[in-house]
Amino acid sequence: MCGIVGAVARRNITPILIEGLRRLEYRGYDSAGIAIRDSAGRIQRIRSVGKVASLQQRMEENPIEGELGIAHTRWATHGMPAERNAHPHMSGEQVAVVHNGIIENHAELREELIAKGYRFTSDTDTEVIAHLMADAVKDGNDLCNAFKSVVKRLVGAYSLAVASPDDPDRIVVARAGSPLVVGLGDGENFVASDVFALLTETQRFIFLEEGDLADVRREGVQVFDSEGNPVERPVVSSKLNPTATDKGPYRHYMLKEIFEQPAVVAETLEGRIHKGRLLEESFGYETKSLLDRTKRIQIIACGTSYHAGMVARYWFEEIGIPCNVEVASEYRYRKSVVSPDTLFVTISQSGETADTLAALRGSRQQGYIGSLVICNVPESSLVRESDVALMTRAGPEIGVASTKAFTTQLVALRLLVLALARRQGVDAEQLNTWVEELHALPRQMEVVLKLNDQIEEMAQGFAERSHALFLGRGPFYPIALEGALKLKEISYIHAEAYPAGELKHGPLALVDAEMPVVCALPDDPLLEKVLSNLQEVRARGGELFLFSDKRVKIELDNYQSLTLDDICPTTAPIVYTVPLQLLSYHVALLKGTDVDQPRNLAKSVTVE
Ligand code: G6P
């Protein structure tokens, strides 16, 4: 939520900040701004409503240059998207501040500052920090000491970067609840919300820890812990390729990421299965010993990751492991009863989702045997704070609507199921079959991607509709939820998912000739039941869009369908996800919406 980037160098840093913002845009994009200290020692600020491109346009009309600066792309929390609310915020001509997160005690701080004569020009919580800084600097503190005293007064979750016209050599930053990295250069240093923002400048990073503050200068970086003591944090070399975040030949990141799925699924399996066998050693000793003690599972996640957890519940219970799944924002605020020998599992693409992280932190006092995270970002907070991690290897996911992260999460969950199945006494032959099914998955996904043109045609039936219904039973119910989520996220068509058996308890009242109904029809034990539910839809004139196994005989009077070949039973939910992603993508294209950055959403939700 919101992206921060900053640089202090001996060259013009404007292009570095703009490129950083472009790479961080997935975190929020309702306004953007930049503050640069120019050669005359003044802070020049430009802000603009809308995306980074509109800020760039403003800057072309009014170019600014300098060797020190900070910039921000915003996802609004306090105050509507408007230029006055865009960051950086300043106190008069003084300090400039960019902020990601929420300052919970901003109202009382604002009152105190108004009483002192400070004039507010925005509706944001952030502006109090600018005035607090100006006040602290006025008392004769240097920027870093002033910052230390100001941060002590802030309640909430945040990451911050501050620059001052009076200090030509430093940016001060803090991390408390929202991610922040320091990028190390030669005679220049950088800060950003994530490493992707800085990959074109450096591969060397310091990941600030909770409560850390850093004084970032050209010739060095000093980190302080939450007590204000100087600390050494490790310097990590990133192996990420700077072009990993390019669109390549694809029109949108989402399409690129959908088509990357066979490769990243194979990558997630690499070194973890071999010749029909799960290579459990690849999980590491600590994970293995945690799994030895696991008798039950509690899964916590948000959004698409929550849907992955819902699919996995069917898989875990199939092998006799009781499993609960809940969204983090509900779980963290209710009293829950933890059964003995329960493993706490979080699932998250980013590893930074505020509610999931808070649920993990809360779980430590609840009597779980330990915590395991399934995550796509190795340096993330969830990975660092969990006992063990099982990494998905999807690579950077830029499209706000999650695609490859979801399918690789399901693959990681399947690996976990296999590891626990052996402990549950599932026989070797069955285990081998399940491993082989995972092995076949990338190839099956390749085949499904070849349906792209036909799905594009199918999408024509949707573009003029205002509503859609997705149905599924068993593990295909969460897949229906995910299909509906994709459609509403990127095409803004109202879509609901229902367990097909529940249709008659309400949603059937909505079905008429204007209601497209989407359903996956794998060749599974619930097939006949689902087909009966679809008869109920047809009897009310509902229009059916089906994705079915070629072995399935559909006896319905009118429908559109595409067939999928040779899909294995255990991995079918993963494969059937792909056509639903493509369907939403093509509907969104027809509707002309912003596929990669749908309105009001952001990829990394670091506020609760
Ligand atoms: C946001 C994103 C979703 C994502 C959810 C959870 O809503 O737009 O795509 O599923 O957050 O994020 P996480 O990073 O924890 O998986």
Side-chain angles (χ1 to χ4, degrees), residues 55 92 99 146 222 309 483-484 576 601:
L55 176 70
H99 165 217
Q222 174 70 71
Y576 277 88
L601 301 180

Side-chain angles (χ1 to χ4, degrees), residues 18 23 71-72 78-79 122 129 188 206 211 302 335 411 420 424 429 433 442 460 484 517 527 546 561 588 603:
I18 292 295
R23 287 165 170 261
H72 188 265
H78 289 74
S122 80
I129 306 168
E188 56 187 23
I206 295 174
C302 299
K335 197 163 172 358
V411 168
L420 289 168
Q424 290 293 102
E429 197 180 331
T433 309
Q460 308 278 348
V517 176
L527 176 65
L546 308 176
S561 82
K603 184 135 196 83

Side-chain angles (χ1 to χ4, degrees), residues 452-467:
N452 187 31
D453 292 349
Q454 293 168 62
I455 295 171
E456 187 176 356
E457 252 172 65
M458 199 186 234
Q460 308 278 348
F462 273 78
E464 302 301 321
R465 301 302 169 82
S466 314
H467 307 275

